[in-house]
Amino acid sequence: MLFTFALGTAAGDLVSERMDLGYWLSAVLFGLAIAAVALAHLKLGLDAVWSFWIAYILTRPLGASIGDHLSQPTGDGGLGLGTVITSALFLTVILALVVYLSVTRRDVTEPQRGTRPEQARGRRSGCVQVYAAKVGCGDHSSRSPHGTGRSSPSRGGRPAVTTA
């Protein structure tokens, strides 16, 4: 995590200051790079893990370039808002996004077909993880902890199905 922060900040400073592109153009370039990663993932099949980490690393210089553009003095290529106002703007945008996603739940994915809601959320209905991995999870009254598959009245006399 610290490595990605350091790498991202250094990349942002390199592009905006050392290459003399300026803060705004640097932000646009990093934004386009993130869009290219998303496009590569969606259209070209770039691995999801690689896509995530590349985009994650690129968000740091993007944020730093935008922050520098807002906070740095006009003589240095910024808007001169200062760090307090820039921080307040970032906080406002982040809070607005969190509230929006909390209210609309647009970031919540639907469970897969045939999956019980508690499994889709990653919960195991009160199962102990080790027990769940050993014999499965579901109607525990019909299962023997030893996997014998004996029938139970709660399952209508049908034998319990166990997984190894």
Side-chain angles (χ1 to χ4, degrees):
M1 205 57 107
L2 293 176
F3 176 74
T4 61
F5 284 172
L7 180 63
T9 302
D13 290 345
L14 174 73
V15 172
S16 63
E17 295 174 4
R18 294 287 183 197
M19 296 177 135
D20 202 27
L21 294 179
Y23 302 121
W24 186 245
L25 184 56
S26 295
V28 169
L29 289 175
F30 286 115
L32 289 173
I34 292 171
V37 171
L39 185 66
H41 172 67
L42 296 173
K43 300 293 183 186
L44 303 175
L46 180 62
D47 180 66
V49 174
W50 279 104
S51 301
F52 169 81
W53 282 109
I54 294 168
Y56 179 82
I57 290 170
L58 290 172
T59 60
R60 181 67 183 154
L62 172 67
S65 295
I66 294 171
D68 287 343
H69 178 70
L70 295 171
S71 66
Q72 295 301 312
T74 55
D76 292 336
L79 295 179
L81 299 179
T83 56
V84 173
I85 293 174
T86 300
S87 296
L89 283 172
F90 277 170
L91 178 62
T92 302
V93 169
I94 291 168
L95 286 176
L97 287 170
V98 168
V99 168
Y100 171 74
L101 292 174
S102 296
V103 170
T104 65
R105 302 185 54 81
R106 289 184 54 100
D107 62 330
V108 177
T109 57
E110 294 296 321
Q112 294 178 354
R113 270 184 96 149
T115 304
R116 293 192 321 247
E118 64 271 7
Q119 286 176 327
R121 288 189 300 270
R123 287 192 257 147
R124 291 280 192 173
S125 276
C127 287
V128 176
Q129 292 291 334
V130 174
Y131 178 78
K134 179 90 170 140
V135 296
C137 183
D139 183 9
H140 302 297
S141 62
S142 65
R143 297 184 190 229
S144 164
H146 303 292
T148 61
R150 289 181 284 187
S151 64
S152 166
S154 69
R155 292 189 52 92
R158 293 175 300 179
V161 178
T162 59
T163 58

